[in-house]
Amino acid sequence: MEINGTEYLNVEAVASLLKVSAGRVRQLIASGELPTLKLTRRLNMIALRDVELFMNTPPKSRGRKRNA
């Protein structure tokens, strides 16, 4: 779906691109690692550019910090 010249994907499409489950994508959304456009109470759309940025970010710089 395209909105204002930006391509958006649903959770299932993002899960397929990232090769993870839809539940994992929802966790990434809840943690703020993937920003969304909330269209309805249950429908979140993720910008393709944000998915690509997430894919190109090294795992060590995302997510929870480990205690040394």
PDB file of all heavy atoms in Angstrom, residues 25-59:
ATOM      1  N   VAL A  25       7.507  -9.652  14.862  1.00  0.00           N
ATOM      2  CA  VAL A  25       7.372  -8.300  14.315  1.00  0.00           C
ATOM      3  C   VAL A  25       6.569  -7.441  15.288  1.00  0.00           C
ATOM      4  O   VAL A  25       6.923  -6.292  15.548  1.00  0.00           O
ATOM      5  CB  VAL A  25       6.714  -8.321  12.918  1.00  0.00           C
ATOM      6  CG1 VAL A  25       6.399  -6.910  12.443  1.00  0.00           C
ATOM      7  CG2 VAL A  25       7.610  -9.037  11.921  1.00  0.00           C
ATOM      8  N   ARG A  26       5.522  -7.998  15.865  1.00  0.00           N
ATOM      9  CA  ARG A  26       4.733  -7.248  16.852  1.00  0.00           C
ATOM     10  C   ARG A  26       5.575  -6.893  18.080  1.00  0.00           C
ATOM     11  O   ARG A  26       5.424  -5.826  18.657  1.00  0.00           O
ATOM     12  CB  ARG A  26       3.495  -8.038  17.236  1.00  0.00           C
ATOM     13  CG  ARG A  26       2.461  -8.088  16.125  1.00  0.00           C
ATOM     14  CD  ARG A  26       1.162  -8.782  16.549  1.00  0.00           C
ATOM     15  NE  ARG A  26       0.318  -8.985  15.406  1.00  0.00           N
ATOM     16  CZ  ARG A  26       0.301 -10.091  14.657  1.00  0.00           C
ATOM     17  NH1 ARG A  26       1.074 -11.115  14.963  1.00  0.00           N
ATOM     18  NH2 ARG A  26      -0.503 -10.182  13.623  1.00  0.00           N
ATOM     19  N   GLN A  27       6.483  -7.785  18.476  1.00  0.00           N
ATOM     20  CA  GLN A  27       7.397  -7.481  19.586  1.00  0.00           C
ATOM     21  C   GLN A  27       8.316  -6.320  19.220  1.00  0.00           C
ATOM     22  O   GLN A  27       8.573  -5.438  20.041  1.00  0.00           O
ATOM     23  CB  GLN A  27       8.253  -8.701  19.929  1.00  0.00           C
ATOM     24  CG  GLN A  27       7.529  -9.801  20.633  1.00  0.00           C
ATOM     25  CD  GLN A  27       8.434 -11.019  20.856  1.00  0.00           C
ATOM     26  OE1 GLN A  27       9.451 -11.194  20.174  1.00  0.00           O
ATOM     27  NE2 GLN A  27       8.059 -11.849  21.814  1.00  0.00           N
ATOM     28  N   LEU A  28       8.819  -6.313  18.006  1.00  0.00           N
ATOM     29  CA  LEU A  28       9.693  -5.239  17.542  1.00  0.00           C
ATOM     30  C   LEU A  28       8.945  -3.905  17.503  1.00  0.00           C
ATOM     31  O   LEU A  28       9.507  -2.858  17.826  1.00  0.00           O
ATOM     32  CB  LEU A  28      10.268  -5.565  16.160  1.00  0.00           C
ATOM     33  CG  LEU A  28      11.223  -6.753  16.110  1.00  0.00           C
ATOM     34  CD1 LEU A  28      11.517  -7.149  14.669  1.00  0.00           C
ATOM     35  CD2 LEU A  28      12.516  -6.448  16.858  1.00  0.00           C
ATOM     36  N   ILE A  29       7.675  -3.962  17.143  1.00  0.00           N
ATOM     37  CA  ILE A  29       6.844  -2.752  17.143  1.00  0.00           C
ATOM     38  C   ILE A  29       6.643  -2.271  18.580  1.00  0.00           C
ATOM     39  O   ILE A  29       6.818  -1.095  18.880  1.00  0.00           O
ATOM     40  CB  ILE A  29       5.492  -3.023  16.456  1.00  0.00           C
ATOM     41  CG1 ILE A  29       5.708  -3.258  14.951  1.00  0.00           C
ATOM     42  CG2 ILE A  29       4.517  -1.875  16.705  1.00  0.00           C
ATOM     43  CD1 ILE A  29       4.498  -3.806  14.232  1.00  0.00           C
ATOM     44  N   ALA A  30       6.299  -3.189  19.475  1.00  0.00           N
ATOM     45  CA  ALA A  30       6.040  -2.834  20.875  1.00  0.00           C
ATOM     46  C   ALA A  30       7.276  -2.253  21.551  1.00  0.00           C
ATOM     47  O   ALA A  30       7.171  -1.349  22.383  1.00  0.00           O
ATOM     48  CB  ALA A  30       5.539  -4.055  21.639  1.00  0.00           C
ATOM     49  N   SER A  31       8.456  -2.747  21.182  1.00  0.00           N
ATOM     50  CA  SER A  31       9.695  -2.262  21.792  1.00  0.00           C
ATOM     51  C   SER A  31      10.185  -0.956  21.161  1.00  0.00           C
ATOM     52  O   SER A  31      11.149  -0.366  21.637  1.00  0.00           O
ATOM     53  CB  SER A  31      10.796  -3.317  21.679  1.00  0.00           C
ATOM     54  OG  SER A  31      11.228  -3.436  20.337  1.00  0.00           O
ATOM     55  N   GLY A  32       9.542  -0.535  20.070  1.00  0.00           N
ATOM     56  CA  GLY A  32       9.937   0.699  19.409  1.00  0.00           C
ATOM     57  C   GLY A  32      11.017   0.527  18.364  1.00  0.00           C
ATOM     58  O   GLY A  32      11.491   1.506  17.792  1.00  0.00           O
ATOM     59  N   GLU A  33      11.426  -0.709  18.110  1.00  0.00           N
ATOM     60  CA  GLU A  33      12.478  -0.947  17.119  1.00  0.00           C
ATOM     61  C   GLU A  33      11.976  -0.778  15.689  1.00  0.00           C
ATOM     62  O   GLU A  33      12.768  -0.494  14.792  1.00  0.00           O
ATOM     63  CB  GLU A  33      13.081  -2.338  17.305  1.00  0.00           C
ATOM     64  CG  GLU A  33      13.848  -2.468  18.602  1.00  0.00           C
ATOM     65  CD  GLU A  33      14.496  -3.818  18.731  1.00  0.00           C
ATOM     66  OE1 GLU A  33      15.464  -4.081  17.991  1.00  0.00           O
ATOM     67  OE2 GLU A  33      14.033  -4.612  19.564  1.00  0.00           O
ATOM     68  N   LEU A  34      10.684  -0.976  15.485  1.00  0.00           N
ATOM     69  CA  LEU A  34      10.069  -0.752  14.178  1.00  0.00           C
ATOM     70  C   LEU A  34       8.932   0.247  14.352  1.00  0.00           C
ATOM     71  O   LEU A  34       7.930  -0.066  14.996  1.00  0.00           O
ATOM     72  CB  LEU A  34       9.507  -2.056  13.592  1.00  0.00           C
ATOM     73  CG  LEU A  34      10.445  -2.965  12.851  1.00  0.00           C
ATOM     74  CD1 LEU A  34       9.736  -4.230  12.407  1.00  0.00           C
ATOM     75  CD2 LEU A  34      11.068  -2.272  11.652  1.00  0.00           C
ATOM     76  N   PRO A  35       9.073   1.449  13.804  1.00  0.00           N
ATOM     77  CA  PRO A  35       7.988   2.421  13.900  1.00  0.00           C
ATOM     78  C   PRO A  35       6.838   2.037  12.965  1.00  0.00           C
ATOM     79  O   PRO A  35       7.066   1.398  11.933  1.00  0.00           O
ATOM     80  CB  PRO A  35       8.640   3.734  13.459  1.00  0.00           C
ATOM     81  CG  PRO A  35       9.837   3.343  12.697  1.00  0.00           C
ATOM     82  CD  PRO A  35      10.257   1.980  13.170  1.00  0.00           C
ATOM     83  N   THR A  36       5.629   2.408  13.327  1.00  0.00           N
ATOM     84  CA  THR A  36       4.468   2.042  12.531  1.00  0.00           C
ATOM     85  C   THR A  36       3.558   3.235  12.279  1.00  0.00           C
ATOM     86  O   THR A  36       3.625   4.250  12.965  1.00  0.00           O
ATOM     87  CB  THR A  36       3.618   0.967  13.229  1.00  0.00           C
ATOM     88  OG1 THR A  36       3.078   1.512  14.429  1.00  0.00           O
ATOM     89  CG2 THR A  36       4.402  -0.275  13.520  1.00  0.00           C
ATOM     90  N   LEU A  37       2.707   3.045  11.312  1.00  0.00           N
ATOM     91  CA  LEU A  37       1.597   3.947  11.056  1.00  0.00           C
ATOM     92  C   LEU A  37       0.365   3.171  11.492  1.00  0.00           C
ATOM     93  O   LEU A  37       0.047   2.129  10.912  1.00  0.00           O
ATOM     94  CB  LEU A  37       1.525   4.294   9.568  1.00  0.00           C
ATOM     95  CG  LEU A  37       0.307   5.078   9.103  1.00  0.00           C
ATOM     96  CD1 LEU A  37       0.308   6.461   9.766  1.00  0.00           C
ATOM     97  CD2 LEU A  37       0.310   5.205   7.603  1.00  0.00           C
ATOM     98  N   LYS A  38      -0.289   3.628  12.541  1.00  0.00           N
ATOM     99  CA  LYS A  38      -1.446   2.915  13.070  1.00  0.00           C
ATOM    100  C   LYS A  38      -2.695   3.408  12.352  1.00  0.00           C
ATOM    101  O   LYS A  38      -3.109   4.548  12.526  1.00  0.00           O
ATOM    102  CB  LYS A  38      -1.553   3.132  14.575  1.00  0.00           C
ATOM    103  CG  LYS A  38      -2.545   2.232  15.224  1.00  0.00           C
ATOM    104  CD  LYS A  38      -2.343   2.209  16.716  1.00  0.00           C
ATOM    105  CE  LYS A  38      -3.237   1.140  17.288  1.00  0.00           C
ATOM    106  NZ  LYS A  38      -2.684   0.508  18.425  1.00  0.00           N
ATOM    107  N   LEU A  39      -3.288   2.551  11.507  1.00  0.00           N
ATOM    108  CA  LEU A  39      -4.465   2.931  10.736  1.00  0.00           C
ATOM    109  C   LEU A  39      -5.756   2.698  11.518  1.00  0.00           C
ATOM    110  O   LEU A  39      -6.679   3.495  11.427  1.00  0.00           O
ATOM    111  CB  LEU A  39      -4.499   2.176   9.408  1.00  0.00           C
ATOM    112  CG  LEU A  39      -3.341   2.477   8.462  1.00  0.00           C
ATOM    113  CD1 LEU A  39      -3.463   1.648   7.199  1.00  0.00           C
ATOM    114  CD2 LEU A  39      -3.280   3.950   8.126  1.00  0.00           C
ATOM    115  N   THR A  40      -5.807   1.587  12.230  1.00  0.00           N
ATOM    116  CA  THR A  40      -6.950   1.283  13.094  1.00  0.00           C
ATOM    117  C   THR A  40      -6.391   0.689  14.377  1.00  0.00           C
ATOM    118  O   THR A  40      -5.184   0.509  14.516  1.00  0.00           O
ATOM    119  CB  THR A  40      -7.929   0.275  12.454  1.00  0.00           C
ATOM    120  OG1 THR A  40      -7.280  -0.993  12.326  1.00  0.00           O
ATOM    121  CG2 THR A  40      -8.411   0.746  11.098  1.00  0.00           C
ATOM    122  N   ARG A  41      -7.286   0.350  15.283  1.00  0.00           N
ATOM    123  CA  ARG A  41      -6.845  -0.224  16.555  1.00  0.00           C
ATOM    124  C   ARG A  41      -5.987  -1.473  16.356  1.00  0.00           C
ATOM    125  O   ARG A  41      -5.042  -1.720  17.094  1.00  0.00           O
ATOM    126  CB  ARG A  41      -8.083  -0.551  17.395  1.00  0.00           C
ATOM    127  CG  ARG A  41      -7.762  -1.074  18.744  1.00  0.00           C
ATOM    128  CD  ARG A  41      -9.030  -1.200  19.590  1.00  0.00           C
ATOM    129  NE  ARG A  41      -8.733  -2.003  20.736  1.00  0.00           N
ATOM    130  CZ  ARG A  41      -9.227  -3.218  20.947  1.00  0.00           C
ATOM    131  NH1 ARG A  41     -10.086  -3.732  20.101  1.00  0.00           N
ATOM    132  NH2 ARG A  41      -8.887  -3.898  22.011  1.00  0.00           N
ATOM    133  N   ARG A  42      -6.310  -2.248  15.357  1.00  0.00           N
ATOM    134  CA  ARG A  42      -5.609  -3.513  15.137  1.00  0.00           C
ATOM    135  C   ARG A  42      -4.722  -3.543  13.895  1.00  0.00           C
ATOM    136  O   ARG A  42      -4.079  -4.548  13.627  1.00  0.00           O
ATOM    137  CB  ARG A  42      -6.631  -4.640  15.050  1.00  0.00           C
ATOM    138  CG  ARG A  42      -7.398  -4.837  16.334  1.00  0.00           C
ATOM    139  CD  ARG A  42      -8.329  -6.013  16.215  1.00  0.00           C
ATOM    140  NE  ARG A  42      -7.604  -7.216  15.874  1.00  0.00           N
ATOM    141  CZ  ARG A  42      -7.399  -8.234  16.690  1.00  0.00           C
ATOM    142  NH1 ARG A  42      -7.870  -8.201  17.898  1.00  0.00           N
ATOM    143  NH2 ARG A  42      -6.738  -9.280  16.290  1.00  0.00           N
ATOM    144  N   LEU A  43      -4.700  -2.472  13.118  1.00  0.00           N
ATOM    145  CA  LEU A  43      -3.945  -2.487  11.869  1.00  0.00           C
ATOM    146  C   LEU A  43      -2.768  -1.519  11.925  1.00  0.00           C
ATOM    147  O   LEU A  43      -2.951  -0.301  11.958  1.00  0.00           O
ATOM    148  CB  LEU A  43      -4.856  -2.125  10.687  1.00  0.00           C
ATOM    149  CG  LEU A  43      -4.198  -2.113   9.309  1.00  0.00           C
ATOM    150  CD1 LEU A  43      -3.605  -3.481   8.971  1.00  0.00           C
ATOM    151  CD2 LEU A  43      -5.196  -1.697   8.257  1.00  0.00           C
ATOM    152  N   ASN A  44      -1.567  -2.086  11.966  1.00  0.00           N
ATOM    153  CA  ASN A  44      -0.329  -1.316  11.918  1.00  0.00           C
ATOM    154  C   ASN A  44       0.325  -1.545  10.567  1.00  0.00           C
ATOM    155  O   ASN A  44       0.436  -2.673  10.104  1.00  0.00           O
ATOM    156  CB  ASN A  44       0.648  -1.785  13.000  1.00  0.00           C
ATOM    157  CG  ASN A  44       0.202  -1.400  14.382  1.00  0.00           C
ATOM    158  OD1 ASN A  44      -0.098  -0.252  14.639  1.00  0.00           O
ATOM    159  ND2 ASN A  44       0.155  -2.372  15.276  1.00  0.00           N
ATOM    160  N   MET A  45       0.782  -0.473   9.958  1.00  0.00           N
ATOM    161  CA  MET A  45       1.515  -0.570   8.702  1.00  0.00           C
ATOM    162  C   MET A  45       2.931  -0.050   8.950  1.00  0.00           C
ATOM    163  O   MET A  45       3.125   0.935   9.664  1.00  0.00           O
ATOM    164  CB  MET A  45       0.833   0.249   7.607  1.00  0.00           C
ATOM    165  CG  MET A  45      -0.601  -0.183   7.316  1.00  0.00           C
ATOM    166  SD  MET A  45      -0.739  -1.873   6.690  1.00  0.00           S
ATOM    167  CE  MET A  45      -0.206  -1.647   5.010  1.00  0.00           C
ATOM    168  N   ILE A  46       3.902  -0.722   8.353  1.00  0.00           N
ATOM    169  CA  ILE A  46       5.303  -0.376   8.557  1.00  0.00           C
ATOM    170  C   ILE A  46       5.864   0.106   7.221  1.00  0.00           C
ATOM    171  O   ILE A  46       5.692  -0.550   6.199  1.00  0.00           O
ATOM    172  CB  ILE A  46       6.102  -1.589   9.070  1.00  0.00           C
ATOM    173  CG1 ILE A  46       5.499  -2.107  10.380  1.00  0.00           C
ATOM    174  CG2 ILE A  46       7.557  -1.246   9.287  1.00  0.00           C
ATOM    175  CD1 ILE A  46       4.696  -3.340  10.238  1.00  0.00           C
ATOM    176  N   ALA A  47       6.544   1.256   7.246  1.00  0.00           N
ATOM    177  CA  ALA A  47       7.143   1.797   6.025  1.00  0.00           C
ATOM    178  C   ALA A  47       8.264   0.872   5.553  1.00  0.00           C
ATOM    179  O   ALA A  47       9.085   0.410   6.359  1.00  0.00           O
ATOM    180  CB  ALA A  47       7.678   3.201   6.269  1.00  0.00           C
ATOM    181  N   LEU A  48       8.293   0.610   4.269  1.00  0.00           N
ATOM    182  CA  LEU A  48       9.331  -0.248   3.687  1.00  0.00           C
ATOM    183  C   LEU A  48      10.717   0.306   4.001  1.00  0.00           C
ATOM    184  O   LEU A  48      11.627  -0.449   4.313  1.00  0.00           O
ATOM    185  CB  LEU A  48       9.124  -0.378   2.178  1.00  0.00           C
ATOM    186  CG  LEU A  48      10.121  -1.240   1.432  1.00  0.00           C
ATOM    187  CD1 LEU A  48      10.161  -2.656   1.990  1.00  0.00           C
ATOM    188  CD2 LEU A  48       9.808  -1.263  -0.053  1.00  0.00           C
ATOM    189  N   ARG A  49      10.885   1.620   3.979  1.00  0.00           N
ATOM    190  CA  ARG A  49      12.203   2.210   4.272  1.00  0.00           C
ATOM    191  C   ARG A  49      12.633   1.902   5.704  1.00  0.00           C
ATOM    192  O   ARG A  49      13.813   1.705   5.976  1.00  0.00           O
ATOM    193  CB  ARG A  49      12.204   3.705   4.004  1.00  0.00           C
ATOM    194  CG  ARG A  49      11.342   4.503   4.946  1.00  0.00           C
ATOM    195  CD  ARG A  49      11.482   6.008   4.741  1.00  0.00           C
ATOM    196  NE  ARG A  49      10.644   6.690   5.678  1.00  0.00           N
ATOM    197  CZ  ARG A  49       9.463   7.221   5.414  1.00  0.00           C
ATOM    198  NH1 ARG A  49       8.989   7.161   4.186  1.00  0.00           N
ATOM    199  NH2 ARG A  49       8.764   7.812   6.342  1.00  0.00           N
ATOM    200  N   ASP A  50      11.665   1.830   6.655  1.00  0.00           N
ATOM    201  CA  ASP A  50      12.007   1.484   8.037  1.00  0.00           C
ATOM    202  C   ASP A  50      12.402   0.015   8.159  1.00  0.00           C
ATOM    203  O   ASP A  50      13.293  -0.326   8.943  1.00  0.00           O
ATOM    204  CB  ASP A  50      10.832   1.800   8.974  1.00  0.00           C
ATOM    205  CG  ASP A  50      10.604   3.291   9.125  1.00  0.00           C
ATOM    206  OD1 ASP A  50      11.586   4.059   9.022  1.00  0.00           O
ATOM    207  OD2 ASP A  50       9.445   3.691   9.356  1.00  0.00           O
ATOM    208  N   VAL A  51      11.772  -0.841   7.380  1.00  0.00           N
ATOM    209  CA  VAL A  51      12.147  -2.266   7.379  1.00  0.00           C
ATOM    210  C   VAL A  51      13.554  -2.415   6.820  1.00  0.00           C
ATOM    211  O   VAL A  51      14.375  -3.140   7.380  1.00  0.00           O
ATOM    212  CB  VAL A  51      11.137  -3.103   6.564  1.00  0.00           C
ATOM    213  CG1 VAL A  51      11.585  -4.559   6.474  1.00  0.00           C
ATOM    214  CG2 VAL A  51       9.747  -3.010   7.166  1.00  0.00           C
ATOM    215  N   GLU A  52      13.843  -1.719   5.731  1.00  0.00           N
ATOM    216  CA  GLU A  52      15.178  -1.792   5.135  1.00  0.00           C
ATOM    217  C   GLU A  52      16.238  -1.252   6.090  1.00  0.00           C
ATOM    218  O   GLU A  52      17.315  -1.833   6.216  1.00  0.00           O
ATOM    219  CB  GLU A  52      15.199  -1.022   3.814  1.00  0.00           C
ATOM    220  CG  GLU A  52      14.381  -1.693   2.735  1.00  0.00           C
ATOM    221  CD  GLU A  52      14.171  -0.830   1.512  1.00  0.00           C
ATOM    222  OE1 GLU A  52      14.371   0.407   1.582  1.00  0.00           O
ATOM    223  OE2 GLU A  52      13.789  -1.405   0.475  1.00  0.00           O
ATOM    224  N   LEU A  53      15.935  -0.172   6.781  1.00  0.00           N
ATOM    225  CA  LEU A  53      16.866   0.387   7.770  1.00  0.00           C
ATOM    226  C   LEU A  53      17.105  -0.619   8.892  1.00  0.00           C
ATOM    227  O   LEU A  53      18.246  -0.849   9.307  1.00  0.00           O
ATOM    228  CB  LEU A  53      16.315   1.694   8.334  1.00  0.00           C
ATOM    229  CG  LEU A  53      17.177   2.397   9.370  1.00  0.00           C
ATOM    230  CD1 LEU A  53      18.493   2.846   8.753  1.00  0.00           C
ATOM    231  CD2 LEU A  53      16.437   3.589   9.945  1.00  0.00           C
ATOM    232  N   PHE A  54      16.053  -1.264   9.373  1.00  0.00           N
ATOM    233  CA  PHE A  54      16.172  -2.280  10.422  1.00  0.00           C
ATOM    234  C   PHE A  54      17.045  -3.437   9.942  1.00  0.00           C
ATOM    235  O   PHE A  54      17.908  -3.914  10.674  1.00  0.00           O
ATOM    236  CB  PHE A  54      14.781  -2.791  10.821  1.00  0.00           C
ATOM    237  CG  PHE A  54      14.817  -3.844  11.877  1.00  0.00           C
ATOM    238  CD1 PHE A  54      14.908  -3.498  13.218  1.00  0.00           C
ATOM    239  CD2 PHE A  54      14.771  -5.188  11.547  1.00  0.00           C
ATOM    240  CE1 PHE A  54      14.947  -4.474  14.205  1.00  0.00           C
ATOM    241  CE2 PHE A  54      14.812  -6.164  12.521  1.00  0.00           C
ATOM    242  CZ  PHE A  54      14.901  -5.804  13.855  1.00  0.00           C
ATOM    243  N   MET A  55      16.830  -3.875   8.702  1.00  0.00           N
ATOM    244  CA  MET A  55      17.595  -4.994   8.156  1.00  0.00           C
ATOM    245  C   MET A  55      19.086  -4.657   8.027  1.00  0.00           C
ATOM    246  O   MET A  55      19.927  -5.534   8.135  1.00  0.00           O
ATOM    247  CB  MET A  55      17.034  -5.410   6.791  1.00  0.00           C
ATOM    248  CG  MET A  55      15.673  -6.059   6.875  1.00  0.00           C
ATOM    249  SD  MET A  55      14.881  -6.294   5.272  1.00  0.00           S
ATOM    250  CE  MET A  55      15.964  -7.472   4.499  1.00  0.00           C
ATOM    251  N   ASN A  56      19.392  -3.379   7.804  1.00  0.00           N
ATOM    252  CA  ASN A  56      20.779  -2.960   7.601  1.00  0.00           C
ATOM    253  C   ASN A  56      21.466  -2.494   8.874  1.00  0.00           C
ATOM    254  O   ASN A  56      22.625  -2.101   8.836  1.00  0.00           O
ATOM    255  CB  ASN A  56      20.850  -1.868   6.537  1.00  0.00           C
ATOM    256  CG  ASN A  56      20.476  -2.400   5.175  1.00  0.00           C
ATOM    257  OD1 ASN A  56      20.825  -3.510   4.818  1.00  0.00           O
ATOM    258  ND2 ASN A  56      19.734  -1.619   4.415  1.00  0.00           N
ATOM    259  N   THR A  57      20.755  -2.538  10.004  1.00  0.00           N
ATOM    260  CA  THR A  57      21.335  -2.154  11.279  1.00  0.00           C
ATOM    261  C   THR A  57      21.933  -3.398  11.929  1.00  0.00           C
ATOM    262  O   THR A  57      21.250  -4.405  12.068  1.00  0.00           O
ATOM    263  CB  THR A  57      20.255  -1.566  12.214  1.00  0.00           C
ATOM    264  OG1 THR A  57      19.667  -0.450  11.565  1.00  0.00           O
ATOM    265  CG2 THR A  57      20.848  -1.136  13.537  1.00  0.00           C
ATOM    266  N   PRO A  58      23.197  -3.348  12.322  1.00  0.00           N
ATOM    267  CA  PRO A  58      23.810  -4.524  12.957  1.00  0.00           C
ATOM    268  C   PRO A  58      23.057  -4.912  14.233  1.00  0.00           C
ATOM    269  O   PRO A  58      22.664  -4.038  15.010  1.00  0.00           O
ATOM    270  CB  PRO A  58      25.221  -4.061  13.293  1.00  0.00           C
ATOM    271  CG  PRO A  58      25.460  -2.863  12.451  1.00  0.00           C
ATOM    272  CD  PRO A  58      24.116  -2.247  12.194  1.00  0.00           C
ATOM    273  N   PRO A  59      22.869  -6.197  14.474  1.00  0.00           N
ATOM    274  CA  PRO A  59      22.116  -6.657  15.647  1.00  0.00           C
ATOM    275  C   PRO A  59      22.670  -6.155  16.975  1.00  0.00           C
ATOM    276  O   PRO A  59      21.923  -5.935  17.903  1.00  0.00           O
ATOM    277  CB  PRO A  59      22.213  -8.174  15.568  1.00  0.00           C
ATOM    278  CG  PRO A  59      22.476  -8.468  14.143  1.00  0.00           C
ATOM    279  CD  PRO A  59      23.256  -7.304  13.623  1.00  0.00           C
TER     280      PRO A  59
END
